Amino acid sequence: MFSPVIGQNAKRSAVRKALDRHKVYITAQSFSAGAYQARVLVDGEAYWVDEFRLAQLQQGLSPAELELTPATDD
């Protein structure tokens, strides 16, 4: 049985989950030899990632969980 209270709680939970997730900003993209790379900014730190890691970051995994190392400025 669906009640307005259950619906409201579900909506609040979804908003809370979205706010708790870190934001991923793509600052540069590179397409070379058929490979995609993106330079992303997560919580103030820059990382170079491939398409798969970018998707994982956007789903809410942290750079520490993915064992990413910060990008060095050239």
Side-chain angles (χ1 to χ4, degrees):
M1 178 180 222
F2 184 78
S3 74
V5 173
I6 292 173
Q8 186 66 29
N9 285 342
K11 289 177 187 176
R12 288 182 182 184
S13 175
V15 168
R16 190 177 316 110
K17 183 178 177 183
L19 291 174
D20 287 342
R21 188 171 35 194
H22 57 263
K23 292 183 177 36
V24 178
Y25 299 97
I26 299 173
T27 60
Q29 295 181 3
S30 169
F31 300 92
S32 178
Y36 171 80
Q37 275 196 322
R39 186 174 190 268
V40 297
L41 190 63
V42 181
D43 298 329
E45 194 70 53
Y47 303 91
W48 281 101
V49 295
D50 59 10
E51 195 170 1
F52 179 68
R53 295 285 186 235
L54 176 59
Q56 290 179 316
L57 285 170
Q58 290 173 330
Q59 290 173 359
L61 291 174
S62 72
E65 291 172 319
L66 298 174
E67 298 179 0
L68 297 177
T69 57
T72 57
D73 292 332
D74 295 1

